[in-house]
Amino acid sequence: MSTTQVAQPMTGAEVDQLCINTIRTLSMDAVQQAKSGHPGTPMALAPLVYTIWNRIMRFDPQDPIWPNRDRFVLSNGHASMLLWSVLHLTKTQAVNAEYERLGHPSVTLDDIRRFRQLDSKAPGHPEYHWVSGVETTTGPLGQGVATSVGMAIAQKWLAARYNRPRFEIFDYQIYAVCGDGCMMEGIASEAASLAAHLGLDNLCWVYDNNHITIEGNTRITFTEDVATRFLGYGWNVLRVGDANDIDRIQSALEVFGKTKGRPTFLILDSHIGYGSPHKQDTAAAHGEPLGDEEVRLCKRSYGWPEDAKFLVPDGVYEHFAAGVGARGGQARRQWTELFAGYRVKYPALAAEIDQMQRRELPAEWDRNLPVFPADPKGLAGRDASGKVLNVLAQNIPWLLGGSADLGPSNKTTLTYAGAGDFQAESPGGKNLHFGIRENAMVAIVNGLSLSKLRAFGATFFIFSDYARPAIRLSALMELPTIFVFTHDAMGDGEDGPTHQPVEHLLSLRAIPGLTTLRPGDANEVVEAYRYIMQLRHRPAVLALSRQPLPTLDRKRYASAEGVAKGAYVLAEAPGGTPEAILIATGSELSLAVEAHEKLLAEGIRSRVVSMPSWDLFEQQPQEYRERVLPPSVKVRVAVEQASTLGWERYVGESGRVIGMRTFGASAPLKELQRKFGFEPDRVAAVARELLGRT
Ligand SMILES: Cc1ncc(C[n+]2csc(CCOP(=O)(O)OP(=O)(O)O)c2C)c(N)n1
Ligand SMILES: [Mg+2]
C-alpha cells in the first residue's frame, strides 16, 4: 500500500499512487459533502484517468481550447468527480464563450467542496459551456461515446483539408470512457458500427467493465460478449484485466496510438468502489455517498490520513504540472510555432481555421443565395433547401453534413463538383453518410460542432423522435448545429400515419434554446438559412415540406426577410386594420393566403401572418409582437398540420386552431387535406364564423 509520507523523496510509483488516491479521496469527500453523487466509479477509474491525462494526452491546461488538443470524453457522466478532480489537479484554466482565457482556474477546490451545489463549477454531470475543459455534456448514457465519433470524424476531415507536408496541423486523438450503461444504450451500437466502417483509428473507447449498474450485477441484464461484438464491428479490441495496473493501461493506450485503420476498444476490468471494505463490487457504491465511517475505512485502505478531507498532498499539483502540464504545454507551443509557419505559407487556409475556431463565417458566405420568382406551382421546401445548402456549402468550406440514408429524399446531398463523400479513404469529403442511425447521427453532428465544424444532419421529420435526445443536448450545449427535417406533415400522404408527424413541432418548440423554423415557401427557406447560418451558439431545426408549395409573389406580399423575426405580416388588410388574423406556417401558408383573398373578395378585411418560428417571434420586443398580432383583434385563426396544443397562446380564447387532434391516415394528400380540413374554404369559413358572418 502506498504512503502519504512526503517528507522523504517518493519513488515514481509512489507519486503515481498519491495522485490516483487524491482523485479517489476528492471524489469520495465531494459526494459525502454533497450527500449525493457517484463515488464508486471515480474510485475505480482514478488510475485510468490519471494514466490517460498524465501520461498520454496532449492537453495543455493553460489553454484548454487549443485546437489540436487531444479530446477526453467522460461518457459515464455520473462519474463527473473524475473530471472535476483532474481539471482541478491540472489547474486547467477557464475560458469564456468568446474563447478568451479568463486567467483563473476552471475548477477550484472550493467548487469541489461545493460539488452539485448551485453555481459550483463542479456540477452533477459534465456540462460543456459551464465548465472549461469539459469537451461535451454527458449524463444521458451513450451520448458521450456517440459524440466522440463526431469528434473523430472532425479530426479526420480537418486533417484532410488543412494538413500539408511538414504541417500536421491536426493530428489529435479522442479518448472516451464509458460503462455498462453506455454499452447497453442503442446509440452506442449505432455509433460504434459507423466508427468502424469509417476506420476511425484516432478514436479510443475505454469500457469500464465492472459488471455493476444501479439494479445490481449485470448478470440480470447484460450478458453479451462485448469483446466479440466490437470485433464484429471491426474495432481493435484490447483488454487490461486490472484497472489498477497503470503500466498495462499505458501500454494498451500506446497500442491504440499505433493502430491504423480501425478504432480501439479497451476493456478494463475494474472494481466499483475500489478499496471500500463493505461496498466494493456492489451497486451500493454506484450512486450514493459511502457514509462517513466507510469513507474513513477506504482512506485507511489507501494509506490516507483518515480524517483529512479534500486533501491534496504536497507533490500532487507538481506531478500533474510535470506530466500533462509539461507535455501539453510543449506540444501546444510547438503547434503554435508550426501554425505561425503555416500561416505564412498558407494564409488562406490559416484564416479559415481562425474563423472556424471563433465560429465566424467567411466573407461573402451568402453570395449567390437564390431568389425564387413567384410561381403558383412552386417548389418543395426540401428542394429549395437543397439548392440553398449547395450554395452555402461552397461558400463555407467547413459546412458539411448528411442524412440518415435519406439524402435523395431530404435533398441534402451536396452535388457540386468536388463536394465528395466522407469515407475512410476520402476523409475530406463533405457528404456524410450516417446510414440508418438517426440517434447517433445527431450526437455525431454535435461532435462535429464541438470540433468547430458547421454541421448538419437530416432525416424525415417523423424520425426527429429518434434524434431528439441529442438535439436536446445540442441546445443545452448551445451548439450551432442544423437539423434538416423534411416530409414535415401529411405531404407524404400514402405513407400514412407512421410517417406523418403530429406532435413533433410542439415537442421541438418545447426545447429551450432551440430555434425551430417551418418556412412557408422557397424564399422563406432561403431566409431561414440566412438566419440560421449566423447563429453561433444556438441549434436550429428546419421543418420542410415534401410537396411543392406555391412561391408567393413578394411584390404583392411582404418580403420573406420577415422570417428572421419569427412572424411577420405577409398580407395586410386594406387600410391596415384587420378584422381577422389568419396565422399559418409551412405548407399551410399559401392556404391562408388563398383564404385571405377569398375573404377580401367578400369585403372581409383579414391579415395573414406568416409564423415560421414561435421561438424567434418570442425573442422580439413586445412592441413588434403587438404590431403583428394587435391585442385588439380577437378573431384569429391558426392553421398548421400539427398538434393544436400551444396555439392558444397566439389565437387567444376567442380564436380557433385548425390543426391535428389525431394521427393522420394513409391516402393521397388531396384527400387528406379534405378529410382533416386543410383547405382555403375551411379557413375562410372558420374566420367568417368567428366574425358572425355565416
Ligand atoms: C439514458 C440514461 N438512462 C438512464 C440513466 C440513469 N443512470 C445513471 S447511471 C446508471 C447506471 C449505469 O451503469 P454503468 O454505466 O455500468 O455505471 P457504473 O455504475 O458502473 O459506473 C443509470 C441507469 C442515465 N443517466 N441515462
Ligand atoms: Mg457498470
Side-chain angles (χ1 to χ4, degrees):
M1 212 26 72
S2 71
T3 165
T4 54
Q5 271 294 338
V6 291
Q8 292 134 20
M10 287 182 285
T11 64
E14 283 171 333
V15 189
D16 292 334
Q17 206 52 45
L18 194 69
C19 291
I20 290 166
N21 286 337
T22 304
I23 298 174
R24 287 177 166 142
T25 52
L26 282 178
S27 303
M28 295 187 310
D29 288 341
V31 172
Q32 200 60 31
Q33 178 115 327
K35 299 194 183 70
S36 80
H38 304 76
T41 304
M43 291 158 74
L45 295 186
L48 168 75
V49 169
Y50 169 76
T51 309
I52 295 179
W53 279 69
N54 217 36
R55 291 190 173 182
I56 301 284
M57 269 206 333
R58 284 178 311 168
F59 173 87
D60 182 5
Q62 294 299 315
D63 187 357
I65 55 167
W66 162 47
N68 196 37
R69 69 192 181 280
D70 287 341
R71 274 32 172 203
F72 177 81
V73 172
L74 191 70
S75 194
N76 45 353
H78 55 277
S80 60
M81 269 312 302
L82 283 169
L83 203 43
W84 309 145
S85 301
V86 85
L87 289 174
H88 173 67
L89 297 173
T90 55
K91 300 194 175 172
T92 295
Q93 295 295 297
V95 291
N96 65 13
E98 293 305 310
Y99 315 110
E100 295 155 347
R101 280 185 268 172
L102 298 176
H104 61 77
S106 166
V107 178
T108 64
L109 204 51
D110 219 42
D111 288 314
I112 290 179
R113 282 198 189 90
R114 300 191 57 257
F115 178 46
R116 295 178 152 245
Q117 307 309 303
L118 197 61
D119 294 334
S120 168
K121 294 290 180 182
H125 289 82
E127 289 186 52
Y128 177 79
H129 246 260
W130 175 240
V131 192
S132 308
V134 174
E135 299 286 5
T136 182
T137 295
T138 52
L141 296 170
Q143 290 286 338
V145 280
T147 304
S148 75
V149 173
M151 294 176 179
I153 291 173
Q155 189 279 326
K156 291 286 181 189
W157 190 88
L158 289 165
R161 178 163 179 90
Y162 296 108
N163 288 359
R164 290 291 180 274
R166 285 176 290 109
F167 289 99
E168 294 279 312
I169 298 299
F170 293 105
D171 63 356
Y172 60 88
Q173 302 196 301
I174 298 96
Y175 299 87
V177 177
C178 55
D180 299 301
C182 290
M183 283 304 102
M184 280 189 251
E185 291 291 351
I187 189 172
S189 305
E190 295 181 11
S193 163
L194 185 60
H197 167 76
L198 293 174
L200 300 175
D201 51 21
N202 53 356
L203 179 64
C204 178
W205 289 3
V206 183
Y207 164 41
D208 175 29
N209 181 35
N210 65 10
H211 294 283
I212 293 293
T213 67
I214 290 176
E215 292 188 4
N217 193 287
T218 52
R219 83 173 72 88
I220 63 170
T221 47
F222 191 52
T223 47
E224 70 190 30
D225 181 342
V226 180
T228 303
R229 169 179 156 201
F230 274 76
L231 284 171
Y233 290 140
W235 287 56
N236 169 38
V237 177
L238 306 174
R239 185 169 208 136
V240 171
D242 175 2
N244 288 315
D245 190 339
I246 59 177
D247 292 333
R248 283 269 165 83
I249 292 173
Q250 182 176 350
S251 306
L253 294 172
E254 285 166 359
V255 170
F256 154 62
K258 295 190 198 110
T259 300
K260 296 283 165 249
R262 54 201 172 135
T264 290
F265 187 71
L266 169 55
I267 302 174
L268 185 67
D269 298 328
S270 84
H271 297 279
I272 195 168
Y274 175 77
S276 165
H278 301 106
K279 300 198 169 172
Q280 178 177 316
D281 295 321
T282 72
H286 162 87
E288 55 194 63
L290 295 165
D292 286 324
E293 185 49 29
E294 193 71 8
V295 167
R296 221 171 273 128
L297 294 175
C298 291
K299 287 179 179 168
R300 185 186 298 169
S301 86
Y302 302 147
W304 203 257
E306 288 175 30
D307 292 316
K309 290 211 170 98
F310 301 101
L311 174 66
V312 182
D314 290 345
V316 170
Y317 293 120
E318 292 77 1
H319 191 57
F320 277 103
V324 61
R327 189 179 54 253
Q330 197 194 10
R332 199 247 304 174
R333 282 188 296 278
Q334 277 173 358
W335 185 89
T336 308
E337 224 171 273
L338 185 74
F339 193 62
Y342 183 84
R343 192 187 296 286
V344 172
K345 206 147 179 226
Y346 306 103
L349 292 179
E352 281 185 21
I353 294 171
D354 288 340
Q355 283 174 327
M356 182 195 326
Q357 290 300 318
R358 303 188 61 81
R359 297 203 188 284
E360 290 166 0
L361 293 164
E364 301 195 25
W365 63 273
D366 58 353
R367 168 185 71 215
N368 299 335
L369 277 181
V371 176
F372 295 99
D375 176 1
K377 276 214 285 311
L379 198 65
R382 58 176 174 155
D383 285 316
S385 164
K387 290 187 196 304
V388 175
L389 259 182
N390 269 281
V391 171
L392 289 171
Q394 292 177 72
N395 294 346
I396 306 167
W398 56 95
L399 172 66
L400 80 179
S403 166
D405 200 47
L406 288 168
S409 286
N410 300 140
K411 309 287 181 191
T412 43
T413 308
L414 303 175
T415 51
Y416 62 89
D421 286 339
F422 184 97
Q423 288 292 334
E425 57 283 358
S426 57
K430 300 230 290 181
N431 284 297
L432 298 175
H433 297 283
F434 294 103
I436 305 131
R437 302 182 180 98
E438 298 82 5
N439 261 291
M441 171 175 74
V442 177
I444 289 169
V445 167
N446 286 348
L448 295 166
S449 180
L450 287 161
S451 314
K452 305 290 167 67
L453 299 181
R454 203 66 202 273
F456 64 88
T459 182
F460 287 158
F461 194 35
I462 190 82
F463 303 131
S464 62
D465 279 344
Y466 278 43
R468 197 168 191 280
I471 296 177
R472 183 175 195 275
L473 285 182
S474 230
L476 185 56
M477 290 193 272
E478 302 180 9
L479 300 178
T481 47
I482 302 165
F483 302 106
V484 183
F485 294 141
T486 69
H487 300 55
D488 68 341
M490 289 189 293
D492 58 356
E494 295 86 343
D495 272 340
T498 59
H499 281 56
Q500 292 159 350
V502 173
E503 71 282 18
H504 302 73
L505 268 174
L506 180 68
S507 124
L508 291 166
R509 283 170 180 154
I511 296 181
L514 174 69
T515 294
T516 301
L517 282 143
R518 186 170 186 251
D521 78 346
N523 289 308
E524 284 202 359
V525 172
V526 177
E527 294 310 312
Y529 271 106
R530 196 192 305 280
Y531 178 83
I532 289 171
M533 291 316 300
Q534 297 174 72
L535 294 171
R536 293 173 70 223
H537 298 294
R538 232 181 140 87
V541 160
L542 274 169
L544 300 169
S545 78
R546 174 205 185 214
Q547 75 276 23
L549 307 178
T551 305
L552 299 168
D553 180 355
R554 297 289 171 169
K555 289 196 203 71
R556 182 170 166 80
Y557 304 113
S559 155
E561 281 165 25
V563 167
K565 291 194 156 72
Y568 63 101
V569 178
L570 175 73
E572 187 52 303
T577 342
E579 299 168 90
I581 303 178
L582 312 178
I583 314 171
T585 81
S587 48
E588 286 65 71
L589 186 59
S590 61
L591 205 139
V593 170
E594 258 186 77
H596 163 81
E597 298 293 353
K598 281 178 196 286
L599 292 170
L600 268 191
E602 297 165 21
I604 294 177
R605 290 178 311 181
S606 67
R607 163 186 287 189
V608 178
V609 169
S610 172
M611 193 177 231
S613 173
W614 287 12
D615 163 71
L616 291 186
F617 188 58
E618 294 303 327
Q619 291 176 37
Q620 304 310 313
Q622 185 177 357
E623 175 272 326
Y624 176 79
R625 282 182 281 126
E626 293 192 351
R627 212 164 355 115
V628 175
L629 298 175
S632 59
V633 185
K634 305 282 187 212
V635 172
R636 299 179 183 189
V637 184
V639 204
E640 187 176 68
Q641 266 187 39
S643 169
T644 56
L645 197 61
W647 272 109
E648 315 82 40
R649 70 157 69 173
Y650 297 118
V651 300
E653 301 242 310
S654 32
R656 189 81 67 80
V657 188
I658 300 176
M660 296 296 291
R661 288 180 169 79
T662 64
F663 294 115
S666 174
L669 176 62
K670 278 264 168 267
E671 277 179 54
L672 293 174
Q673 284 168 331
R674 193 169 326 120
K675 175 177 165 63
F676 291 101
F678 295 100
E679 293 181 312
D681 283 343
R682 168 94 191 288
V683 178
V686 170
R688 259 186 242 111
E689 186 192 323
L690 292 178
L691 285 164
R693 304 226 207 135
T694 41

